[in-house]
Amino acid sequence: MLNVTPSAFPASGSQQRAAAGGRSKVPLKPGRSLMDWIRLTKSGKDLTGLKGRLIEVTEDELSKHNKKEDCWICIRGFVYNVTPYMEYHPGGEDELMKAAGTDGTDLFDQVHRWVNYESMLKECLVGRMAVKPIAALKGVLPEKRVLASSAKDLSPSYDWFQTDSLITIVIYTKQKDMNADLVIVDCQDKQLRGEIIMDDHSYLVEVDLDHAVSEDVAVNIAEKVGKVEIILNKKDNIHWKMLGQPCEGHNTFIKRTDRGLFYRKCKLVSKTEVTHDTKLFCLMLPKGTHLRVPTGQHIYLKHIIAGTEVVKPYTPVLPFLPLDFQEPPCHDGVHLYLMIKIYSHGLFTQALDHLQIGDCISVSNPEGNFKKSQVQTSEDLLLLAGGTGFTPMVKLLNFALTEVSCLRTVKLIFFNKTEDDILWRNQLEQLALKDERFEVQFILSQPSKDWVGKQGKISPSLLSEFVKRSRRDSKVLICICGPTPFTEQGVQYLKDLGYSQEEIHAFTA
Ligand code: FAD
Ligand code: NAD
């Protein structure tokens, strides 16, 4: 059993409380953390009031259970009695009550589609929704089907061919600026999954292959014509009659938010100390996986903790800050580096810290709404980071200094509690010496008496001192990331200082 003080976590402002990416700041009562919920679900208590019986629920029946003390919600066809969960919900009772007595699937997917409610609420399962007669279903076709047909002209298509030893799947995306960041391929055993990201849509090829293939998968992209080739090696030199059996989402072109998050298991290959409480975790992608996490995007890690699936977002970094900008950015396509602060009462980070080299953890596809083009048109880039809010700035810095020629200045203003908390301080100082466009400023909120640098928390006066345009009319982009109050206050102060919404990018979940 995990050693947890019930009242100590999650702290207000922790992600477990603000599960909806900082949307909610509802303080949970002591003893109502996720770990407490997991404990309750393991206690053997009858949480549905049905003594373990599962029933078929009609829409009429569902709608009757719409009060706090008797609240049922349907998620993906399954009905849960969420009354016992009310006080544990990080978004608060009112948010949960919005779906009381109804189908809450869309609401949950909009707000936190990465939270696995099926796992979290499994002890609250009342039963399945009763299937409606076909006639009644007309007119309520799922939105994603309607979307797929309206986007038909833009929809990619695929074909496949074979030689004695190879199977090649060709995807014609019809998108001219296709690149490796937009193609995610997983091939394990006989399962092939290839996802192409096209703005807010995703195209999927997913088949249970006809015959076995080896683990080596090659991905070729003809960027200009938008053609993607996935090349598989046959295990046996036999002629395939078909590519395989299509899986549920095969050959669909739908909104990304309608596509479930896909996870693959990655092996922990190293864990190195960055500071007294922060570690660099290096994970190895499986051989059959082609995945790159674009600058400014995060992934989700999923791990079973005390029998419940827990999911948390993390932003991949580089293994170090490259100083030689003649070299290409150092991602080898095989390793994923995560810089993670281990909290002494943290549910997930404690579990991560206990992983041994060689253990596996599930890693999702990347997500996030940051677009590199925002940097490509800027002359001044200002990065405001609080603690591990530094992580999205790592790839961003590297990208800005290596690939964006119009940038005149890049400034990182890095807020930490103490000197010991500053991540990669040496590397940042070296970078500032090496590249005259780059400047770093450290600001401490709990400095020791020896600290001669700036101190304080994010404030209008600190921002007006450090956030400046290099020329009166220069195009500026300000990126901000850190604890939710830090980011929220920072955005407000920047607006008060006259920066427009378009000039600010806040990293949130
Ligand atoms: P919880 O169980 O949620 O909290 C438990 C305890 O942890 C609290 O009581 C408190 O002691 C401590 N704690 C948690 N958060 C804070 C905080 N902000 N300030 C002070 N104490 C706190 N984290 C990284 O380390 N690296 C990343 O690259 C990273 N990327 C992220 C990307 C996104 C998009 C988002 C939204 C968050 C990211 N996080 C990152 C935070 C991460 O998702 C978790 O919230 C964090 O690891 C804490 O998880 P936990 O389960 O251990 O803590
Ligand atoms: P921390 O507690 O060590 O604080 C770092 C600095 O942030 C402090 O020195 C202070 O200057 C500022 N700060 C902290 N709390 C503040 C408050 N209430 N008001 C104003 N300023 C405050 O930070 P940490 O423990 O490293 O936490 C980092 C946070 O960044 C986490 O909440 C994490 O979820 C978030 N994060 C978000 C992303 C993302 O992409 N959205 C990525 C990485 C980290």
Side-chain angles (χ1 to χ4, degrees), residues 15 341 343 387-389 391 415-417 445 481-483 485 489 507-508:
Q15 290 304 316
K341 182 181 275 195
Y343 296 100
T388 57
T391 52
F415 294 80
N416 283 284
K417 288 197 273 222
S445 58
C481 187
Q489 288 166 29
F507 288 96
T508 52

Side-chain angles (χ1 to χ4, degrees), residues 10 19 84-85 124 226 252 304 315 343 351 366 418-419 421 431 495-496:
Y85 180 62
C124 300
T252 53
I304 310 281
T315 313
Y343 296 100
T418 70
E419 262 184 280
D421 295 321
L431 186 59
K495 286 185 179 162
D496 295 345

Side-chain angles (χ1 to χ4, degrees), residues 102-113:
T102 68
D103 188 330
T105 311
D106 285 348
L107 195 75
F108 282 97
D109 282 351
Q110 270 167 32
V111 182
H112 22 204
R113 92 188 167 97

Side-chain angles (χ1 to χ4, degrees), residues 9 11 15-16 312-315 339 341 343 346-349 391:
F9 84 94
Q15 290 304 316
Q16 208 58 61
K312 292 275 165 129
Y314 294 95
T315 313
M339 194 187 272
K341 182 181 275 195
Y343 296 100
L347 178 66
F348 202 75
T349 51
T391 52

